[in-house]
Amino acid sequence: MTSIAVPAPALAPRRAWLTDLPVLLVAVVWGASYLAAKGITTAHTVVAVLVLRFALVLPVLVVVGRRRVAALTAAQWRGAGLLGLILSGVFLLETYGVVHTSATNAGLIISLTMIFTPLAEAAVTGRRPSASFVAAAALSVGGVVLLTQGAGFTAPSLGDLLMLLAAVVRTVHVLVMARAKAVRGADSLSLTTVQLGAAVAVFAALAVLPGGGASPWAVAVGFGPREWAGLLFLSVFCTLFAFFVQMWAVRRTSPSRVSLLLGTEPLWAAAAGIAIGGEHLGALGLVGAALVLAGTAWGRRAAEIRDC
């Protein structure tokens, strides 16, 4: 958890609700993003969809933040570029993962980042996590085991394993962002712009390599209204809208409050997968989903108490 020098002022209940609602909406659209990505992506079009998704919003970020991006130092450019390379791995693993598993599983498994990050930070700093946090982590891992075995105890699917690996790489991304001295002085807008630019460059390079799948142009031409609606949802709402809401919200409330609201993302992923995608968890899967949600919520709270 990052700390701020001056705590955000207390908000009146009405104003607090007006600030919380957009942040909660970000959690909702992020939760729905797994189903949206699954609906427009195949194993053959993953790289092309990623190129299209981020190429649509990158020019907007560049135009809005061009002065701040130009003011970055060479070290900040290198740090942000490194973060972008790691971020490209996160998106590749997540998107390939969701193609090969359910949207519900994807959203719940990726939420383990909230457990992995404090554990990894403890390993790096030598600061032992609390007993409560370790118990919460064990509860979450047990939940994932049950979640991925909803049809009986068999080997996890390729998609489940890719999402688990994505959660690990997300953890690396968070740790590097928090500990890299080069990017500490960079503002969020310029840092995000350079990261996404680096990620798009990786996706574009992969798209032209043999075995990279369909070209972005071919995928764009072949998209119908439903696919374009899904792509615009991922680009405009899950990327552009989400980023600006986060920047707006942290200036009006506390980072902990924003984190708590965004932490409901796996709940919305499960809701979208079941209610809209027609996915079924089964009895074991439902128990596993409940354990993942309870474990990540408990772990987040334990980590916040320790950091206070």
Side-chain angles (χ1 to χ4, degrees):
M1 294 286 292
T2 56
S3 59
I4 53 178
V6 180
L11 299 177
R14 178 182 176 84
R15 186 180 174 189
W17 174 247
L18 292 176
T19 303
D20 289 350
L21 188 58
V23 179
L24 186 61
L25 185 56
V26 169
V28 173
V29 297
W30 275 355
S33 69
Y34 301 100
L35 186 62
K38 188 174 182 66
I40 66 171
T41 313
T42 67
H44 190 60
T45 63
V46 166
V47 174
V49 169
L50 286 172
V51 170
L52 294 172
R53 172 180 175 178
F54 294 107
L56 287 176
V57 299
L58 187 58
V60 178
L61 293 175
V62 171
V63 170
V64 173
R66 60 188 181 280
R67 292 182 180 176
R68 281 179 276 185
V69 171
L72 292 175
T73 65
Q76 288 172 333
W77 271 92
R78 288 193 296 270
L82 173 62
L83 286 169
L85 294 179
I86 300 172
L87 190 65
S88 68
V90 174
F91 281 116
L92 284 167
L93 288 167
E94 284 185 354
T95 311
Y96 275 113
V98 79
V99 167
H100 295 288
T101 190
S102 67
T104 302
N105 279 22
L108 290 166
I109 293 173
I110 200 66
S111 71
L112 289 177
T113 302
M114 291 181 281
I115 295 296
F116 291 164
T117 301
L119 288 176
E121 190 172 22
V124 171
T125 62
R127 187 184 182 192
R128 182 177 298 178
S130 67
S132 294
F133 185 85
V134 172
L139 188 67
S140 297
V141 172
V144 168
V145 171
L146 291 179
L147 174 69
T148 58
Q149 305 303 318
F153 286 92
T154 59
S157 72
L158 173 62
D160 294 334
L161 294 176
L162 288 173
M163 294 307 301
L164 190 61
L165 186 55
V168 173
V169 179
R170 258 201 195 188
T171 299
V172 173
H173 182 263
V174 172
L175 287 182
V176 173
M177 184 180 294
R179 301 181 68 84
K181 295 180 180 179
V183 299
R184 287 180 185 173
D187 69 280
S188 298
L189 177 58
S190 58
L191 186 60
T192 300
T193 302
V194 176
Q195 284 189 81
L196 288 184
V200 169
V202 171
F203 303 146
L206 291 175
V208 299
L209 291 176
S215 72
W217 173 254
V219 171
V221 170
F223 271 0
R226 183 184 69 84
E227 289 80 11
W228 273 108
L231 182 65
L232 290 174
F233 174 76
L234 291 171
S235 298
V236 176
F237 289 96
C238 300
T239 306
L240 199 60
F241 167 77
F243 170 71
F244 282 109
V245 165
Q246 287 181 86
M247 284 208 309
W248 171 81
V250 295
R251 290 175 172 84
R252 289 163 174 78
T253 186
S254 69
S256 296
R257 192 179 183 95
V258 173
S259 176
L260 182 64
L261 292 167
L262 293 180
T264 63
E265 174 190 343
L267 176 63
W268 301 112
I274 295 170
I276 302 175
E279 297 175 353
H280 301 282
L281 287 178
L284 283 178
L286 288 172
V287 173
L291 291 180
V292 171
L293 293 172
T296 52
W298 184 13
R300 189 187 311 113
R301 179 59 180 164
E304 288 176 353
I305 291 174
R306 185 175 178 83
D307 288 341
C308 289

